[in-house]
Amino acid sequence: MKGFSWIRRSPRRVAVNLALQGGGAHGAFTWGVLDRLLESGCIDVAALSGTSAGAINAVVLAHGLAQGGLTGAREALDRFWTALGTQAPKGLTMGDGDGLRFTPMARWFMNMSQFVSPYDANPRGVNPLRDMLAKQVDFDRLRVSDDVPVFVAATNANTGRLRLFSGQELSLEAVLASTCLPAMHHAVEIDGEPYWDGGYSANPAVFPLLEANRARDTMLVLLSPLHHGSTPRSTAEIRERAQDIAFDNTFLREMHMLAHVRALAAQSWLRGQFENRIMNAHFHMIEDSENLGSLDGATRLMAHSSFLERLREDGRACATTWLETHAATLGRSSSVDLQTTFG
């Protein structure tokens, strides 16, 4: 517990970028991680990059910071996820605790989404998330504030290219685009272009945090396991694994590239400004492959209050473990080796 004692008595705060991965309802794990990091008082949020649920966490966190600092950020995250859990439609789940599961009818509807277009099943494009975010996030304020840059990733449905929304482009539509699963929602049109979930092109994008140059330290909060375990065999397992790989591939490629650039820069005397920035950057990571990796992929749609609270507590526990073990590295060194982890 030596590291934890250091946290309690040290007034030192370190500017930290946060890169927040997407994963639907599993984003409640990130809620717990952020809640614990903010509670510790050892970080100042410098910049945020998020995709899908990570984009939601990013804008809610930024809104809370603007409204009331670290305490306001914790309260904003709590408000959003609590509201999400209480507004989930009734009759979709049964059981409780570890026995919580979807009803057969809910499973049937999810299976039907593979065969029925959202343009037919939901012709008006109703999305309850729109009203929730509109009520809880002041996007007008975020657009004019430069205190904490926010980068939201979405994928152009016609070109497959990544688009990052930030600054004056940051909007409710951008976040809805970042969360748009094409089998369940209409593409979100922005500036005449259709957008799908940002996970197809960046989950999340890390390079804009380095380019923003607001902090040397970047914390990666991951929802996808780095190792998936046994090889899938059933059609459902194969389909789920293929989707996971599609959503994770761009992030893994970006981290592999950063590891490669760091390795090359370390061997060269002639380095440019960006290479020096990458060389001097500190990386950290909080994830829970064991627990999150064991969950059925369909639970990413389980926005049930008890399930979200369970993930929040898992996130807080993982963040506490990280703080006890690695808090002293903040501002001084990396606590994760990119070459070993992603190289």
Side-chain angles (χ1 to χ4, degrees), residues 44-283:
D44 280 320
V45 180
L48 292 151
S49 178
T51 295
S52 199
I56 293 174
N57 277 318
V59 296
V60 171
L61 172 58
H63 167 83
L65 286 172
Q67 296 278 46
L70 298 182
T71 300
R74 294 180 67 197
E75 292 173 349
L77 287 164
D78 184 78
R79 250 188 331 268
F80 173 82
W81 286 99
T82 300
L84 182 66
T86 57
Q87 292 186 22
K90 305 297 182 183
L92 295 183
T93 58
M94 55 186 180
D96 205 353
D98 292 339
L100 184 68
R101 60 195 184 279
F102 285 112
T103 62
M105 181 61 72
R107 289 278 184 181
W108 182 83
F109 275 114
M110 284 188 283
N111 289 334
M112 285 301 293
S113 70
Q114 301 173 44
F115 306 103
V116 180
S117 164
Y119 294 88
D120 297 323
N122 182 14
R124 297 181 63 186
V126 176
N127 186 348
L129 188 59
R130 175 184 295 277
D131 290 338
M132 285 188 60
L133 284 170
K135 289 177 181 177
Q136 300 204 31
V137 178
D138 186 346
F139 285 97
D140 289 336
R141 182 169 182 173
L142 291 185
R143 276 193 290 273
V144 299
S145 173
D146 193 39
D147 293 340
V148 179
V150 180
F151 303 93
V152 168
T155 306
N156 188 304
N158 288 343
T159 67
R161 293 178 180 173
L162 166 68
R163 180 169 176 182
L164 287 170
F165 295 90
S166 63
Q168 292 293 324
E169 293 183 333
L170 192 62
S171 66
L172 171 60
E173 297 302 314
V175 178
L176 292 175
S178 187
T179 64
C180 177
L181 292 173
M184 302 185 69
H185 298 290
H186 295 201
V188 177
E189 188 169 305
I190 301 174
D191 299 331
E193 294 289 337
Y195 290 94
W196 285 348
D197 196 295
Y200 293 110
S201 54
N203 192 23
V206 177
F207 71 88
L209 297 174
L210 300 178
E211 290 181 340
N213 199 27
R214 293 296 186 101
R216 291 180 66 181
D217 290 67
T218 295
M219 171 69 75
L220 311 171
V221 184
L222 307 187
L223 301 179
S224 297
L226 294 174
H227 301 282
H228 290 277
S230 60
T231 305
R233 294 186 178 275
S234 71
T235 54
E237 290 172 340
I238 293 170
R239 184 167 54 247
E240 182 178 321
R241 180 67 56 80
Q243 179 173 307
D244 288 344
I245 291 173
F247 269 63
D248 298 340
N249 191 45
T250 52
F251 168 73
L252 295 175
R253 187 184 301 121
E254 182 179 0
M255 296 310 297
H256 173 79
M257 183 180 300
L258 285 174
H260 184 61
V261 170
R262 281 167 71 96
L264 290 177
Q267 301 172 16
S268 174
W269 291 99
L270 297 174
R271 293 194 292 260
Q273 186 177 20
F274 191 63
E275 286 84 355
N276 276 324
R277 194 176 301 166
I278 294 176
M279 271 292 299
N280 294 325
H282 305 148
F283 289 94

Side-chain angles (χ1 to χ4, degrees), residues 18-21 29-30 32-34 36-37 43 218-224 226 283-289 292 314-323 326 330 335-336 342:
L18 296 171
L20 311 178
Q21 204 166 59
F29 172 85
T30 303
V33 170
L34 297 175
R36 183 66 188 92
L37 292 178
I43 72 166
T218 295
M219 171 69 75
L220 311 171
V221 184
L222 307 187
L223 301 179
S224 297
L226 294 174
F283 289 94
H284 313 279
M285 182 174 69
I286 296 177
E287 53 95 34
D288 190 7
S289 290
L292 291 178
D314 287 346
R316 281 184 57 84
C318 286
T320 295
T321 299
W322 186 90
L323 287 166
H326 299 298
L330 286 171
S335 60
V336 61
F342 301 105

Side-chain angles (χ1 to χ4, degrees), residues 1-10 36 316-317 319-328:
M1 299 294 289
K2 181 178 179 182
F4 185 56
S5 298
W6 176 87
I7 297 167
R8 288 183 298 180
R9 66 172 179 265
S10 173
R36 183 66 188 92
R316 281 184 57 84
T320 295
T321 299
W322 186 90
L323 287 166
E324 291 172 352
T325 309
H326 299 298

Side-chain angles (χ1 to χ4, degrees), residues 287-303:
E287 53 95 34
D288 190 7
S289 290
E290 183 176 352
N291 289 324
L292 291 178
S294 68
L295 295 175
D296 184 336
T299 59
R300 295 186 180 96
L301 302 176
M302 189 177 281

